[in-house]
Amino acid sequence: MKNRRQNVIDTAHKLFIEKGYQATSIQDILDGSGISKGTFYNYFPSKGELFIAIFRSFYKRIRHDREKLLEGQDAANIEIFIQQLELQMMGNKQSKLLILIEEVRVSNDEELKQFINQTLLLSLRWMHGRFLDIFGESTKPYLLDCVIIFHSMMTHMNHFNHRANAIPKPEIQIIRYCMNRMIQTVDEVAKSKEQILDPELLDTWFPQFENHLYPCHNNLANATTELKKAIHTSLPCGENQTRAIELIDFIQDELMQSDTPRQFLIESLLLILKNQYSEHVQAYMEDFEESINACLVQ
């Protein structure tokens, strides 16, 4: 059943690229994948959900491959980050997902346009985490600004690279060029202490949208935010409060950013949280643990 469902996803992906998302009918997909209408709707409630499934399938592979590049490596190594971005950019290019994104952006389908915006936020969140690995905690107040600048720089440089050059320069050259500029930019804004967007916005943006890529993360994000609020209210400012927030953030990132979250580590850290802080925020801790378990069994 899983293979048949994936076959429908792969068939639809090809048809969406060849004919366009709007011009491809469900009957085209049925004919191409050799299934009945009843089977199709058993897999996908609508063509829009099938579109989302294509992105889920692609980004799950990209996420896995990205993490394999990081295995056994120093997370602060900029070259590894550049390779991760090249892998993602080449994947986007080969799958032609950017073509589908542009078609959806000019369509009247508000649900799919919202979904595209949501995937952008997920990408920014991942980049922010990698910038933090590379540039360190001391630069954290300025990294959301820098990530947005970096993302925009890469997007436009890549666009005009293909538009202006008969033989476009390799993607990795564009990525490395933009990253070299960001090394200077991060240093400059950290020294000047200029900030437009507070990184804490990631915690307010992230739970406010439905995560179509990994739906169980919605409850985890909400539970995390509520638990952190409760800890800020219940525990006095100081080392204990800071330690609790660090443990919560680590667990959330391990579940959301890793394709293969380390269950033994998550359970160990959760046990520390429960033993040391649960009496202050019992109900919120229970919701947090429940959302963790849901993610572990997805």
Side-chain angles (χ1 to χ4, degrees):
M1 181 176 177
K2 185 176 180 180
N3 290 339
R4 290 185 69 190
R5 184 179 185 277
Q6 187 61 47
N7 178 54
V8 177
I9 290 173
D10 294 339
T11 299
H13 188 175
K14 292 176 183 176
L15 287 170
F16 290 166
I17 296 300
E18 291 170 3
K19 302 181 63 174
Y21 171 73
Q22 299 291 345
T24 300
S25 67
I26 289 179
Q27 189 60 51
D28 292 332
I29 298 168
L30 299 181
D31 294 340
S33 55
I35 62 170
S36 68
K37 185 176 289 188
T39 300
F40 174 88
Y41 283 112
N42 186 46
Y43 293 152
F44 310 103
S46 65
K47 191 171 74 167
E49 287 297 323
L50 176 53
F51 178 95
I52 290 169
I54 290 171
F55 275 76
R56 281 181 180 166
S57 178
F58 171 76
Y59 281 111
K60 187 173 184 179
R61 291 196 299 270
I62 288 294
R63 185 174 168 181
H64 176 267
D65 293 343
R66 251 180 3 204
E67 292 205 358
K68 285 190 72 67
L69 286 173
L70 197 55
E71 286 179 3
Q73 303 292 331
D74 182 0
N77 186 337
I78 291 178
E79 189 59 32
I80 298 298
F81 178 54
I82 290 172
Q83 291 174 25
Q84 288 179 310
L85 289 173
E86 182 193 24
L87 184 151
Q88 183 166 318
M89 191 177 288
M90 293 303 295
N92 282 330
K93 182 178 179 180
Q94 291 165 5
S95 65
K96 299 184 179 179
L97 287 183
L98 296 181
I99 295 174
L100 294 181
I101 288 174
E102 289 308 310
E103 182 181 359
V104 166
R105 284 192 188 281
V106 298
S107 73
N108 294 321
D109 194 324
E110 293 302 322
E111 181 180 357
L112 288 187
K113 285 196 282 190
Q114 183 185 24
F115 167 73
I116 295 301
N117 290 333
Q118 292 163 357
T119 57
L120 171 60
L121 286 181
L122 286 174
S123 179
L124 291 178
R125 183 182 176 88
W126 174 75
M127 284 188 187
H128 181 268
R130 295 295 287 117
F131 267 44
L132 197 56
D133 291 334
I134 293 165
F135 298 108
E137 283 287 336
S138 62
T139 64
K140 186 174 181 179
Y142 320 104
L143 288 187
L144 181 55
D145 291 341
C146 292
V147 163
I148 292 172
I149 293 169
F150 177 66
H151 185 276
S152 300
M153 188 188 304
M154 278 207 310
T155 299
H156 291 289
M157 287 298 296
N158 193 51
H159 170 77
F160 285 104
N161 174 42
H162 284 81
R163 184 170 183 174
N165 297 317
I167 302 178
K169 298 184 185 302
E171 278 76 5
I172 196 165
Q173 186 174 340
I174 300 298
I175 297 168
R176 187 169 282 114
Y177 173 88
C178 294
M179 197 63 204
N180 286 340
R181 307 289 81 74
M182 290 312 302
I183 293 171
Q184 300 173 34
T185 300
V186 171
D187 182 61
E188 179 186 333
V189 296
K191 286 179 179 177
S192 68
K193 301 188 184 303
E194 290 184 272
Q195 183 193 66
I196 301 297
L197 299 175
D198 190 326
E200 293 298 322
L201 282 170
L202 286 171
D203 288 331
T204 59
W205 286 345
F206 199 61
Q208 287 180 351
F209 64 77
E210 183 180 353
N211 181 348
H212 289 291
L213 293 178
Y214 299 94
C216 78
H217 290 175
N218 300 321
N219 289 337
L220 175 63
N222 287 324
T224 299
T225 301
E226 293 305 313
L227 178 57
K228 286 163 71 173
K229 286 180 183 176
I231 285 176
H232 278 301
T233 302
S234 303
L235 292 178
C237 292
E239 185 176 339
N240 283 343
Q241 186 185 100
T242 301
R243 178 59 175 160
I245 297 300
E246 286 176 349
L247 290 173
I248 293 166
D249 284 340
F250 187 95
I251 292 172
Q252 182 183 27
D253 287 342
E254 181 71 14
L255 284 163
M256 289 188 169
Q257 303 298 331
S258 174
D259 194 51
T260 53
R262 294 166 288 183
Q263 184 169 347
F264 72 94
L265 182 57
I266 292 169
E267 290 174 347
S268 297
L269 297 181
L270 180 61
L271 186 60
I272 293 172
L273 273 172
K274 290 167 65 178
N275 288 340
Q276 295 187 14
Y277 309 107
S278 187
E279 63 178 293
H280 302 285
V281 288
Q282 181 68 41
Y284 299 100
M285 190 70 74
E286 290 174 358
D287 288 343
F288 184 57
E289 182 176 11
E290 184 178 335
S291 66
I292 288 172
N293 292 334
C295 288
L296 288 173
V297 299
Q298 73 165 350

